Amino acid sequence: MNILYHIGRYVLLLRETFARPERLSLYWSRTVEEMDLLGVKSLGIVALLSAFMGAVITIQTKTNIDSPLIQAWVVGFATRQSTILEFSPTVISLILAGKVGSNIAAEIGSMRVKEQIDALDIMGVNSAGYLILPKIVATMLINPFLIMISMFLGIFGGWLAGVQTGVVVSDDFIMGIQLGFKPYHVVYALIKTVVFAFIITTVSAYQGYYTRGGTREVGISSTRAVVYSDVMILLANLVLTQALLL
Amino acid sequence: MIVVEGLGKRFGDVQVIDGIDAVFQKGRVNQIIGRSGSGKSVMAKCMVGLHRPEKGRVLYEGRSFHDMDAEEKRGIRQRIGMLFQGSALFDSLTVIENVMFPLRMFGLMAKSEMEDRAHTCLKRVSIIDKDQLFPAELSGGMQKRVGIARAIAMNPEYLFCDEPNSGLDPQTSIVIDDLIKEITEEFGTTTIVITHDMNSVMETGEHILFIHKGRKWWEGTREQLLRSDNKELNEFVFAGSLMREVKRSLTGEE
């Protein structure tokens, strides 16, 4: 029953969020601000993680398939496939759920306990729409760019580490990342990214919006936002992979 | 004018307010007083639509608020100004942006007009040269004043103030009380102040409603309050030695 209650309240919150905005220009300027706050400011961590993870994938792949029967280009191929299909869209989204999700829940939760959301409601402003919609639009627009950057840096990090450590020759690696490339895999990854962005933003906003109490509860909401977003991302990942790849 | 008829609200098994009737007249400071947890804030939240009451009605100019459709409710809310206990200013906006916020949101005027209006409101609450600061850079009293400026930016017909003196020193409390009284007279608003500060009641209370155990226990003027023989009201009002001294000097009673 408790789960049904939360699902119902989440759906009602989404209905309020997508109601007609009072002033579209104000919503758009907030969306641009959120793109900077939630997207551009996450670029550093995404770049760092992607480059290092790409490097580790390359070295581990080489270590695990070190056989004369397996051709050298397989290392580049495996790095590309792992990065595009899973690491960049899913693992980076899980990490963004930690950074962006906790930020959203803490911001909206603080506004709730400080009565700022009540103030919006009393002014006649649709508080859910004003606070949540720009975040949803911002993350759904900016996250695909973050993930594309992550894909590039992951593969680049793999090439750099592979060549520098001598586990793979540059030409073999490049041949591997070009071999059997299916553009649809990138489309699949970007579809997942957009869905995950929606999950991160709405689940975290839900946790923040219904925070009751004080600063301790804001902390609890932030933690829940990350945990529930992660669980939902993993479930959605399974469903989308079955629906889009099988 | 706001009329409350048989208002009742329950949270789970707890009946927080029950069967409250009241009439709040235009152009005067109406005060809802009572001990912490008596239900006065819940009553105010039902009146502004933050809580939906299980029983009763809240009538704005004769029309039941909770029976209105969303658009009508929005229209009424745009005529309500509210000062919150913690001011509820938006942290990420400067003082001037906070005051301009409702004007910007509803696009009622050009930007220069909005700025003029915001400056007029800030001047009215004696906040000068602080318009570019953020709320965190202001003292509690100043935040309250900015909260009042934001509440009056849309020329409200109804002004709600939730514990306007909480956390303020006595001198600043008097400044805020005077400001609320002056604005009520100047703009002819229906003002409702939720408080348990007896200094504030003595300074500004014209029509006082005492809520006890979720019910309307007593109603009257400041003068009637000092001479009332209602036991629970007297225990609340004359809990402090200063108020007991006031009563003694007025009535000669010990």
Side-chain angles (χ1 to χ4, degrees):
Chain A
M1 280 305 284
N2 202 28
I3 290 174
L4 289 176
Y5 168 76
H6 284 289
I7 291 171
R9 203 164 60 153
Y10 171 79
V11 171
L12 289 175
L13 180 66
L14 287 186
R15 200 177 70 172
E16 270 183 61
T17 302
F18 288 102
R20 188 166 57 89
E22 289 85 3
R23 196 135 184 249
L24 211 57
S25 60
L26 210 59
Y27 273 58
W28 177 244
S29 66
R30 285 216 59 229
T31 303
V32 174
E33 283 171 25
E34 297 292 354
M35 281 165 85
D36 178 50
L37 185 71
L38 303 175
V40 177
K41 288 197 165 69
S42 303
L43 191 58
I45 184 91
V46 168
L48 191 73
L49 281 164
S50 302
F52 277 91
M53 285 300 286
V56 172
I57 289 169
T58 298
I59 295 167
Q60 283 190 353
T61 305
K62 176 64 183 169
T63 314
N64 286 292
I65 59 166
D66 198 9
S67 159
L69 297 173
I70 297 172
Q71 289 181 301
W73 54 260
V74 171
V75 176
F77 178 84
T79 303
R80 183 197 76 199
Q81 290 299 86
S82 309
T83 304
I84 291 178
L85 291 175
E86 204 54 30
F87 170 71
S88 287
T90 308
V91 178
I92 291 292
S93 289
L94 288 169
I95 287 156
L96 286 175
K99 184 185 179 289
V100 172
S102 61
N103 176 307
I104 290 171
E107 182 194 332
I108 296 177
S110 299
M111 290 187 76
R112 170 62 76 193
V113 301
K114 287 161 126 183
E115 297 183 307
Q116 291 171 18
I117 294 179
D118 289 348
L120 286 170
D121 288 334
I122 287 170
M123 282 177 204
V125 176
N126 171 8
S127 59
Y130 178 73
L131 294 174
I132 303 170
L133 187 58
K135 292 182 195 297
I136 295 174
V137 176
T139 53
M140 288 174 77
L141 287 176
I142 200 84
N143 282 17
F145 289 99
L146 285 177
I147 297 308
M148 282 193 282
I149 292 168
S150 164
M151 287 174 187
F152 171 78
L153 288 174
I155 295 168
F156 176 75
W159 170 80
L160 194 66
V163 172
Q164 290 302 314
T165 55
V167 298
V168 64
V169 177
S170 178
D171 287 347
D172 288 338
F173 189 89
I174 290 168
M175 188 186 163
I177 60 174
Q178 290 174 330
L179 203 75
F181 174 69
K182 290 181 184 164
Y184 177 71
H185 285 172
V186 177
V187 175
Y188 154 80
L190 294 181
I191 290 170
K192 286 208 298 186
T193 301
V194 171
V195 173
F196 296 162
F198 181 82
I199 289 171
I200 293 167
T201 318
T202 55
V203 170
S204 306
Y206 172 79
Q207 291 299 330
Y209 196 81
Y210 290 110
T211 301
R212 290 283 179 273
T215 48
R216 184 176 164 270
E217 283 74 16
V218 173
I220 292 169
S221 294
S222 293
T223 309
R224 281 188 185 150
V226 178
V227 173
Y228 295 151
S229 296
D230 283 350
V231 172
M232 290 302 294
I233 286 172
L234 294 174
L235 283 172
N237 190 31
L238 183 64
V239 172
L240 286 171
T241 303
Q242 282 194 319
L244 298 172
L245 282 189
L246 289 183
Chain B
M1 185 172 77
I2 305 173
V3 178
V4 171
E5 290 178 351
L7 202 65
K9 176 72 185 170
R10 156 190 295 275
F11 291 110
D13 295 335
V14 183
Q15 187 75 43
V16 183
I17 54 170
D18 194 16
I20 296 180
D21 295 303
V23 177
F24 300 101
Q25 295 288 354
K26 186 175 159 62
R28 69 179 185 183
V29 179
N30 302 275
Q31 288 186 320
I32 303 173
I33 62 170
R35 297 170 67 173
S36 300
S38 60
K40 53 191 190 301
S41 288
V42 171
M43 178 183 168
K45 285 185 175 175
C46 286
M47 289 172 71
V48 296
L50 288 176
H51 291 323
R52 188 173 183 88
E54 275 94 36
K55 286 192 289 185
R57 300 192 301 171
V58 179
L59 305 167
Y60 283 86
E61 311 306 333
R63 293 165 61 226
S64 172
F65 181 81
H66 295 280
D67 294 332
M68 292 176 189
D69 62 32
E71 205 57 44
E72 283 179 301
K73 276 183 186 168
R74 192 167 295 158
I76 289 287
R77 280 173 164 164
Q78 284 172 22
R79 289 153 62 192
I80 295 176
M82 182 149 185
L83 173 64
F84 286 86
Q85 193 171 350
S87 301
L89 299 175
F90 303 123
D91 302 322
S92 57
L93 303 182
T94 61
V95 164
I96 187 96
E97 286 168 342
N98 262 285
V99 180
M100 278 169 62
F101 183 85
L103 304 170
R104 281 180 70 204
M105 184 49 91
F106 299 107
L108 300 173
M109 38 179 97
K111 195 177 178 216
S112 59
E113 283 179 273
M114 283 193 264
E115 283 171 353
D116 287 346
R117 174 74 190 144
H119 279 121
T120 305
C121 294
L122 286 171
K123 206 170 160 188
R124 183 66 197 78
V125 298
S126 307
I127 296 278
I128 300 157
D129 300 333
K130 301 268 192 286
D131 55 344
Q132 294 307 320
L133 296 183
F134 285 92
E137 297 172 289
L138 301 176
S139 67
M142 279 186 184
Q143 286 184 13
K144 289 271 159 102
R145 286 197 231 178
V146 177
I148 294 175
R150 186 177 68 182
I152 62 172
M154 295 274 281
N155 273 326
E157 290 171 44
Y158 315 102
L159 181 64
F160 286 79
C161 305
D162 187 9
E163 309 274 7
N165 311 107
S166 115
L168 300 181
D169 65 80
Q171 274 184 312
T172 312
S173 290
I174 290 169
V175 171
I176 297 294
D177 285 338
D178 288 346
L179 204 52
I180 291 168
K181 195 174 180 181
E182 285 163 20
I183 284 166
T184 303
E185 286 165 4
E186 203 176 310
F187 294 86
T189 55
T190 305
T191 300
I192 295 161
V193 178
I194 296 108
T195 187
H196 47 58
D197 178 0
M198 286 317 297
N199 289 333
S200 176
V201 174
M202 290 296 109
E203 286 285 330
T204 60
E206 292 170 276
H207 167 228
I208 300 155
L209 204 75
F210 175 58
I211 305 290
H212 184 65
K213 293 181 178 170
R215 291 180 170 272
K216 184 174 85 175
W217 214 257
W218 182 89
E219 187 176 11
T221 63
R222 188 170 31 185
E223 292 73 24
Q224 290 168 335
L225 178 131
L226 290 171
R227 290 178 167 80
S228 167
D229 56 3
N230 186 300
K231 182 176 168 281
E232 287 78 12
L233 178 70
N234 282 337
E235 280 174 4
F236 172 76
V237 173
F238 303 110
S241 56
L242 187 64
M243 285 304 296
R244 283 199 296 273
E245 193 59 42
V246 170
K247 180 159 189 167
R248 200 171 298 130
S249 67
L250 279 172
T251 63
E253 288 173 20
E254 282 303 314

